[in-house]
Amino acid sequence: MVLQTLTSTATRGVKHVAKTASSRRHMGSGPKPEWTGIDKKVRDIFPEDHQLAGAILGGYGALIGVAVLRSKLKGSAPEPEPAVKPAAVAASGGSDVLPSVESPAFESFLESDAFGKFLESEDSMMKWVDGLTQE
């Protein structure tokens, strides 16, 4: 039984090698395509695919390089002068202005009655919102 298995395996292998040897392709290629129009003009200069791909990538690289160079030579627009902000008025008993968060008066404003009045007064809240939109 073992001998029969070995014999059949060996003969199958020999038949397979003989069959594939005759139908093996030797890395040949088909006929060259006939180019027409603009493809013919381009393929006259760059006949191989890798040459054409290099030319296309080089063209894109040149366009990007020219755009970068142009933007560097053109320069950036001059920065506008920053608007001078008026100093925040410290909150007193009747003030409608909310002090700046960085100012030392802000903590005292939160603890005072002026903060409660500020929250209850619609006019002072709208002035504060308008001041935020202008900044």
Side-chain angles (χ1 to χ4, degrees):
M1 176 117 170
V2 173
L3 190 55
Q4 182 184 4
T5 307
L6 289 175
T7 308
S8 67
T9 304
T11 56
R12 236 183 312 162
V14 170
K15 288 179 187 175
H16 179 68
V17 169
K19 184 178 180 183
T20 58
S22 63
S23 66
R24 183 181 298 173
R25 294 189 61 185
H26 296 286
M27 297 304 201
S29 62
K32 296 275 185 183
E34 292 294 323
W35 302 107
T36 58
I38 189 74
D39 289 331
K40 180 173 176 26
K41 293 178 183 179
V42 171
R43 288 297 183 155
D44 287 342
I45 300 169
F46 304 111
E48 300 293 323
D49 289 341
H50 70 275
Q51 293 171 334
L52 183 59
I56 291 170
L57 290 174
Y60 279 122
L63 286 175
I64 291 170
V66 167
V68 168
L69 186 63
R70 181 177 172 233
S71 70
K72 292 202 182 227
L73 291 176
K74 189 176 181 181
S76 62
E79 294 183 15
E81 298 274 334
V84 179
K85 293 182 181 178
V89 178
S92 61
S95 176
D96 287 347
V97 180
L98 180 67
S100 172
V101 176
E102 290 89 19
S103 79
F106 185 72
E107 188 173 336
S108 62
F109 176 76
L110 291 177
E111 294 172 353
S112 69
D113 292 335
F115 181 64
K117 290 178 183 176
F118 176 78
L119 291 176
E120 291 173 0
S121 171
E122 186 175 332
D123 291 335
S124 61
M125 287 290 280
M126 290 310 293
K127 285 181 188 177
W128 177 70
V129 170
D130 289 341
L132 287 177
T133 57
Q134 291 175 359
E135 291 179 0

